[in-house]
């Protein structure tokens, strides 16, 4: 994979190359005169780029990053009463929470903003490095700094991480699951129409191909139940249950729902 960079950010690019190499990814640097829309149109293959705003994934004339700074308006609007995820994850109690399906980290950012202490687990080395870059950028933002200090990034396979926590007898209040490709596990056309991929997600799906190493997260549910008082699963509204296991309780929204599995915990 190539990492494109302008000369002034070459040192930053070299840092990312070293970090990715330590995580098993070989990346070569290509210095560009100007990283603009025209450049990316002429370099449509999947790659990376680095600039003043950190590390980006790029392809097909587009670029993306988790971009936690762009979530600030949503965070400022959010409250424990207005967010369904806050009720599902019982965020009023400022829980210790594991997000075992990191994605772009936006749900974790919201939950941390609403008081949770989040361990964000991601196994893909490039996605993890993108998340790491976003956290570094967010730490420089006065509003986001106290939020992201409540997020710990863990580079690990979620199944292995949860199994390790179970074996060590470690317990958390909540494990949150939002499988990357839930639309694969049902045949309801309405769900597929709801699951139209946003432009930002197109690049993520190129990095994490649906028919490749990714799975639906079925194996995570049982492991999560071993370490958490409650497991919360985000699903498209009409999707089947994760691992075909009926939920203890649901919170229903227009497009999605939250399925909760309680381990001898009182429902509030």
């Amino acid at each position: 994979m190539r990492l494109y960079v302008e000369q002034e950010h070459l040192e930053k690019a070299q840092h990312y190359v070293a970090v990715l190499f330590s995580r098993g990814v070989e990346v070569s640097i290509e210095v560009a005169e100007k990283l603009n829309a025209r450049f990316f149109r002429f370099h449509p293959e999947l790659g990376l780029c680095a600039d003043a705003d950190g590390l980006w994934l790029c392809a097909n004339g587009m670029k993306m990053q988790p971009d936690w700074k762009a979530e600030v308006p949503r965070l400022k609007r959010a409250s424990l009463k207005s967010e369904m995820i806050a009720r599902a994850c019982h965020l009023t109690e400022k829980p210790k929470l594991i997000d075992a399906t990191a994605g772009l980290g936006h749900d974790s950012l919201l939950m941390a903003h609403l008081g949770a202490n989040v361990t964000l687990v991601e196994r893909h080395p490039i996605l993890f490095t993108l998340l790491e870059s976003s956290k570094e950028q967010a730490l420089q933002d006065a509003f986001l700094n106290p939020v992201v200090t409540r997020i710990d990034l863990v580079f690990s396979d979620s199944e292995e991480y949860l199994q390790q926590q179970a074996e060590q007898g470690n317990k958390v209040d909540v494990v949150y699951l939002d499988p990357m490709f839930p639309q694969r596990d049902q045949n309801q056309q309405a769900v597929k129409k709801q699951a139209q991929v946003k432009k930002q997600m197109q690049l993520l799906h190129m990095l994490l191909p649906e028919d490749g190493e990714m799975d639906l997260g079925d194996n995570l549910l049982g492991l999560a139940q071993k370490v958490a008082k409650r497991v919360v699963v985000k699903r498209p509204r009409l999707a089947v249950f994760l691992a075909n296991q009926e939920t203890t309780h649901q919170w229903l929204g227009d497009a999605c729902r939250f399925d909760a599995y309680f381990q001898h915990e009182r429902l509030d």
Side-chain angles (χ1 to χ4, degrees), residues 59-231:
N60 294 338
M62 302 179 291
K63 66 176 186 175
M64 64 77 65
Q65 61 179 183
D67 195 4
W68 289 358
K69 288 185 178 182
E71 293 295 297
V72 169
R74 179 193 180 196
L75 299 185
K76 289 183 175 180
R77 293 192 303 269
S79 70
L80 290 168
K81 290 184 178 181
S82 67
E83 294 291 340
M84 190 163 51
I85 194 173
R87 299 191 293 277
C89 294
H90 207 189
L91 297 185
T92 54
E93 295 297 313
K94 301 187 183 304
K96 184 178 180 182
L97 183 149
I98 296 173
D99 183 345
T101 50
L104 298 177
H106 294 165
D107 283 346
S108 280
L109 188 67
L110 175 62
M111 291 187 286
H113 171 65
L114 294 175
N117 294 292
V118 181
T119 298
L120 187 58
V121 185
E122 176 53 50
R123 71 182 180 183
H124 194 287
I126 293 177
L127 181 53
F128 182 83
T129 307
L130 288 165
L131 288 165
E132 199 172 50
S133 173
S134 288
K135 181 178 179 179
E136 290 170 0
Q137 296 293 315
L139 284 168
Q140 308 306 313
D141 183 274
F143 178 83
L144 288 174
N145 178 278
V147 177
V148 298
T149 54
R150 290 195 289 273
I151 299 177
D152 290 325
L153 299 177
V154 174
F155 180 42
S156 174
D157 178 88
S158 291
E159 287 191 31
E160 294 177 4
Y161 181 80
L162 291 173
Q163 184 64 49
Q164 182 184 55
Q165 299 306 302
E167 291 172 355
Q168 294 176 352
N170 296 329
K171 299 292 183 180
V172 296
D173 299 303
V174 181
V175 171
Y176 178 74
L177 303 175
D178 181 11
M180 182 69 69
F181 300 110
Q183 67 270 25
R184 278 175 50 204
D185 63 5
Q186 74 287 306
N187 295 317
Q188 299 179 47
Q189 190 65 31
V191 177
K192 293 184 179 181
K193 288 181 180 178
Q194 291 172 6
Q196 292 298 318
V197 180
K198 296 179 180 179
K199 283 187 176 181
Q200 188 185 44
M201 295 299 290
Q202 290 178 18
L203 297 185
L204 193 59
H205 281 215
M206 290 176 67
L207 181 67
L208 309 172
E210 183 175 350
D211 295 323
E213 64 184 72
M214 301 304 293
D215 55 54
L216 297 173
D218 284 351
N219 294 337
L220 294 177
L221 182 55
L223 291 170
Q225 289 173 306
K226 293 180 180 180
V227 302
K229 295 177 183 177
R230 68 168 68 184
V231 180

